[in-house]
Amino acid sequence: MKKIAIIGLGYVGLPLAVEFGKKRVVIGFDINQCRINDLKNGVDSTLEISSEGLKNAVHLSYATNVNDLKDCKIFIITVPTPIDKHKRPDLTHLEKSSEAVGSILKKGDIVIYESTVYPGATEEVCVPVLEQQSGLTFNKDFYCGYSPERINPGDKEHRVTTIKKVTAGSTPEIATEVDELYKEIVIAGTHKVSSIKVAEAAKVIENIQRDVNIALINEFALIFNKLDIDTESVLKAAGTKWNFLPFRPGLVGGHCIGIDPYYLTHKALEVGYNPEMILAGRRLNDSMGSYVADQVIKLMNKKRIHVVDANVLIMGLTFKENCPDLRNTRVVDLVKEFEGFNCNIDVYDPWVDKDEALHKYGINPIDQPSEGKYDAILLAVAHDKFRDLSLAQIKAFGKDSHVLYDIKYLLKANEIDGRL
């Protein structure tokens, strides 16, 4: 069997390395020495793989030096593809990874990309880098594949082995080899497509569809709020029809839904098409943090709570429930908005790594909220640890007169002051 290198050991790369490491010789590569040290000691800071799970990958070893990958024949690149401050695709990680792999690329090798990109990026951006670094010719000396990741951080049911895998290759023969490779670990099966561009496009629209649907529900929530109608009651009623989609309003962040649309819109604009619906959905979802903060401030004013120097507790910082993932969390929008009102903000999230939160966002989460301290309390993330708290326990954090706002529908409508 061909030896595999997995480039990038984050939420996507590590589970993949572990599964392949049960069957083949695999080297997991990451430039973060601390990450490698933790994994060697059986610790996964993302909490996706248990210590026992790491031990079960008996053929998996780790490296931080690209030269240790020279004997590998298959390279799977799983690095992040974020956006920059102007909401443009940032392919820096992808390009640097391609440079590293290109420096050791040999005749007959296959480079497979799992990172989310716009249609055409693999062959237009990555392949030229591989050719330049290696001196080899694409589809003659080396080949490429694409199999988009479908990881859902914190989800213990939908795992890399239980989610159907889309696969593609740069030639029909390579497409088959890539497909057979993933069939070794994916019990849910694979779906081989006709080209790398098709696979790239399929991945990027999966999350755009969710983004647009959530934007629609967020717009419903804005309208119903003005009409003094409870949004959840409306959605529950509409949900009694078999084909009504069960989306809920909220802050839309994370490494996929809040980012992927900008990859397709970038490419669409490049070829002369203005993607109005996609961009409209993005604008609406990006505005929800500001909307929530404004609603809370209005509720505070109604209760004659002085806003300047008010103590605000935000419960939750991660982009989704029950995981430590802070990538592109939109809870930071709430923090910025309340800072703009000169409030004092405490962020409480037992899931997060405090050093990471401080490094990424300049936010220093508290260990535990103080009782009787807060003028406003926001339930921003639906962690089970928050669900387990009673209404009395949550309200105990507040002063005698305070605002309780529920973004995630953890409490009943008659128990809170406001929600989306």
Side-chain angles (χ1 to χ4, degrees):
M1 288 187 177
K2 293 181 178 180
K3 191 174 182 179
I4 299 175
I6 308 289
I7 315 298
L9 297 177
Y11 285 90
V12 176
L14 182 63
L16 199 64
V18 166
E19 293 304 323
F20 276 123
K22 296 175 183 177
K23 298 176 180 293
R24 294 187 181 220
V25 176
V26 175
I27 301 178
F29 174 87
D30 202 287
I31 59 174
N32 186 336
Q33 185 66 60
C34 292
R35 173 70 166 158
I36 293 297
N37 293 342
D38 284 347
L39 293 174
K40 286 181 176 179
N41 291 324
V43 177
D44 171 25
S45 59
T46 68
L47 306 181
E48 291 297 303
I49 307 294
S50 67
S51 179
E52 188 65 27
L54 291 173
K55 289 179 182 178
N56 290 338
V58 293
H59 305 297
L60 173 61
S61 61
Y62 304 99
T64 55
N65 189 327
V66 72
N67 289 321
D68 293 335
L69 312 180
K70 283 183 175 180
D71 292 336
C72 296
K73 297 294 293 178
I74 298 174
F75 300 87
I76 303 179
I77 295 179
T78 64
V79 296
T81 45
I83 53 176
D84 64 19
K85 63 181 181 180
H86 302 296
K87 302 188 186 304
R88 297 175 305 200
D90 180 359
L91 300 178
T92 304
H93 299 300
L94 207 57
E95 291 169 337
K96 288 187 177 299
S97 298
S98 298
E99 287 176 5
V101 170
S103 70
I104 56 171
L105 203 60
K106 308 171 299 298
K107 286 191 175 184
D109 287 354
I110 302 173
V111 185
I112 303 170
Y113 292 87
E114 290 214 1
S115 306
T116 302
V117 291
Y118 53 78
T122 299
E123 290 154 300
E124 295 166 9
V125 177
C126 301
V127 166
V129 174
L130 294 172
E131 287 186 316
Q132 183 180 16
Q133 291 295 316
S134 67
L136 302 176
T137 302
F138 178 51
N139 278 345
K140 176 184 176 185
D141 301 319
F142 74 92
Y143 306 89
C144 284
Y146 187 82
S147 183
E149 60 88 4
R150 283 175 165 173
I151 293 296
N152 188 24
D155 189 335
K156 302 306 179 185
E157 178 183 355
H158 300 99
R159 313 296 293 167
V160 65
T161 60
T162 59
I163 303 171
K164 181 166 281 193
K165 205 85 164 70
V166 173
T167 67
S170 56
T171 71
E173 295 76 19
I174 294 301
T176 297
E177 184 170 348
V178 171
D179 194 61
E180 292 298 322
L181 174 69
Y182 281 103
K183 281 181 178 177
E184 292 180 9
I185 63 168
V186 181
I187 60 177
T190 60
H191 179 84
K192 183 173 67 172
V193 298
S194 59
S195 70
I196 288 175
K197 282 186 178 181
V198 168
E200 291 168 329
K203 166 58 183 174
V204 79
I205 71 164
E206 289 174 14
N207 292 311
I208 292 175
Q209 184 184 65
R210 286 182 55 77
D211 192 42
V212 170
N213 274 293
I214 296 171
L216 179 63
I217 301 300
N218 274 335
E219 189 158 70
F220 289 159
L222 304 186
I223 296 170
F224 296 148
N225 178 265
K226 288 185 175 294
L227 296 175
D228 197 25
I229 300 173
D230 181 59
T231 302
E232 186 185 36
S233 297
V234 176
L235 295 177
K236 282 183 175 180
T240 58
K241 189 179 180 186
W242 75 93
N243 59 353
F244 186 82
L245 301 177
F247 289 96
R248 288 293 182 270
L251 306 176
V252 186
H255 64 295
C256 286
I257 299 179
I259 291 176
D260 292 359
Y262 293 116
Y263 274 77
L264 186 58
T265 57
H266 166 81
K267 193 63 178 179
L269 290 168
E270 192 177 81
V271 296
Y273 179 78
N274 183 34
E276 296 182 29
M277 180 177 288
I278 299 172
L279 289 173
R282 271 288 76 228
R283 284 193 295 270
L284 199 151
N285 284 340
D286 280 346
S287 72
M288 293 307 292
S290 175
Y291 173 79
V292 168
D294 285 344
Q295 291 300 301
V296 173
I297 295 299
K298 288 177 181 178
L299 290 168
M300 292 171 69
N301 286 331
K302 284 184 179 180
K303 290 193 173 187
R304 300 189 182 281
I305 297 172
H306 194 55
V307 173
V308 175
D309 286 330
N311 294 321
V312 176
L313 173 64
I314 298 176
M315 297 180 66
L317 179 59
T318 60
F319 92 87
K320 63 172 292 188
E321 67 277 2
N322 303 324
C323 80
D325 197 344
L326 288 172
R327 290 174 296 174
N328 194 39
T329 173
R330 298 319 331 146
V331 178
V332 298
D333 296 345
L334 294 175
V335 176
K336 291 176 182 177
E337 290 293 329
F338 283 112
E339 286 177 344
F341 286 108
N342 294 312
C343 298
N344 305 311
I345 303 101
D346 281 350
V347 177
Y348 171 54
D349 193 324
W351 275 93
V352 305
D353 181 285
K354 290 186 178 181
D355 291 336
E356 184 183 4
L358 189 60
H359 174 71
K360 281 189 174 181
Y361 302 112
I363 294 172
N364 190 18
I366 61 173
D367 292 323
Q368 180 68 31
S370 301
E371 292 193 3
K373 175 181 178 180
Y374 299 101
D375 298 289
I377 302 168
L378 286 83
L379 295 167
V381 184
H383 293 315
D384 286 344
K385 292 181 181 180
F386 295 162
R387 290 183 184 276
D388 292 340
L389 295 174
S390 67
L391 175 64
Q393 287 174 310
I394 295 172
K395 290 180 73 68
F397 298 139
K399 297 177 180 178
D400 290 340
S401 178
H402 66 270
V403 168
L404 178 55
Y405 195 93
D406 185 5
I407 298 174
K408 301 302 292 186
Y409 294 83
L410 297 181
L411 301 172
K412 296 177 182 177
N414 61 358
E415 295 176 332
I416 58 178
D417 295 294
R419 64 182 182 182
L420 285 175

